[in-house]
Amino acid sequence: GQQLNQSPQSMFIQEGEDVSMNCTSSSIFNTWLWYKQDPGEGPVLLIALYKAGELTSNGRLTAQFGITRKDSFLNISASIPSDVGIYFCAGPNTGNQFYFGTGTSLTVIP
Amino acid sequence: NAGVMQNPRHLVRRRGQEARLRCSPMKGHSHVYWYRQLPEEGLKFMVYLQKENIIDESGMPKERFSAEFPKEGPSILRIQQVVRGDSAAYFCASSRDSPGQGTQPQHFGDGTRLSIL
């Protein structure tokens, strides 16, 4: 089945540092979504990307839809403690399913 | 709050009992998805429903699990004769459009944490 691989699997950074994570797919996606999940909560949508090459920002978050349509990147600038959580990429195939990445766990050290 | 509503938030069952998990989608959304998440793992697709129809249940075990999304009322994920391995967080999501259209993303509820004693 479809697989979305995220890297890195986990990150430990100092408050104020920038963060980069990426997601790759074995096939083409027409939409890329980035979610954040806090412990005990459901995933919350951060950014949605709909066009190859698209670069979209949401506050300190910036995400890009790769030109090949097989990858996407999420950057967080000037991290703060509340950025802690698990970040998932996701995308729909041309059928009926959304696929989710394996997740990147982010820890921000004050 | 017009978000996806799931209840109960926590559910405890003994082995062999039935578990019923409910999900009310966001207003205006007619597509519902159920996912299962084990601790420290990602979300695994189970089933996709549109009003009164199961569109894709390829991720749902063939036995003991069933899902419905009636014309009126919430979507229900039903697990019969629960076993310890069913313990997990079950998340529901909804979207306005189907996944293939890709114009509207999924929005998630806060999940039901099922514990089997």
Side-chain angles (χ1 to χ4, degrees):
Chain A
Q2 182 59 263
Q3 185 139 353
L4 295 181
N5 295 308
Q6 282 186 248
S7 65
Q9 188 174 1
S10 61
M11 301 181 76
F12 292 80
I13 62 168
Q14 290 288 139
E15 183 176 356
E17 288 184 353
D18 296 343
V19 173
S20 260
M21 59 189 80
N22 74 333
C23 184
T24 58
S25 165
S26 55
S27 61
I28 287 173
F29 276 72
N30 294 320
T31 300
W32 282 98
L33 308 170
W34 284 94
Y35 290 86
K36 177 181 181 242
Q37 186 176 26
D38 291 329
E41 307 281 336
V44 174
L45 181 69
L46 298 175
I47 292 180
L49 302 156
Y50 298 109
K51 287 184 188 176
E54 180 181 355
L55 186 71
T56 297
S57 293
N58 178 8
R60 292 179 297 106
L61 277 61
T62 302
Q64 183 158 28
F65 192 144
I67 290 291
T68 65
R69 293 164 64 190
K70 290 186 177 182
D71 59 4
S72 179
F73 304 86
L74 176 69
N75 296 316
I76 306 172
S77 62
S79 58
I80 59 178
S82 62
D83 290 334
V84 165
I86 302 178
Y87 293 79
F88 291 101
C89 61
N93 64 2
T94 53
N96 299 310
Q97 289 194 24
F98 273 81
Y99 293 97
F100 280 78
T102 45
T104 293
S105 174
L106 178 64
T107 301
V108 178
I109 303 165
Chain B
N1 185 350
V4 178
M5 303 301 292
Q6 288 188 251
N7 67 83
R9 287 295 304 271
H10 301 273
L11 182 61
V12 179
R13 285 287 179 266
R14 295 190 180 279
R15 280 178 294 172
Q17 290 185 322
E18 178 180 288
R20 279 186 178 235
L21 288 61
R22 294 175 185 75
C23 170
S24 296
M26 281 181 70
K27 188 177 180 181
H29 288 191
S30 60
H31 302 261
V32 165
Y33 317 79
W34 285 93
Y35 294 85
R36 173 186 159 109
Q37 186 178 39
L38 294 171
E40 310 299 323
E41 293 190 8
L43 295 135
K44 293 289 193 290
F45 168 81
M46 296 181 73
V47 61
Y48 160 42
L49 309 102
Q50 197 178 357
K51 277 291 184 182
E52 299 185 271
N53 292 308
I54 295 175
I55 307 300
D56 185 339
E57 55 183 348
S58 58
M60 197 157 68
K62 299 260 187 291
E63 297 181 353
R64 301 189 298 108
F65 284 73
S66 61
E68 63 178 19
F69 188 15
K71 188 176 179 181
E72 301 290 337
S75 175
I76 306 286
L77 178 67
R78 183 180 174 208
I79 312 172
Q80 295 178 288
Q81 299 175 327
V82 296
V83 300
R84 287 248 170 90
D86 296 333
S87 296
Y90 292 84
F91 288 95
C92 169
S94 72
S95 67
R96 193 189 71 188
D97 300 316
S98 64
Q101 292 176 289
T103 55
Q104 288 292 325
Q106 294 184 353
H107 295 267
F108 283 81
D110 281 335
T112 293
R113 276 131 193 94
L114 176 63
S115 298
I116 308 302
L117 302 179

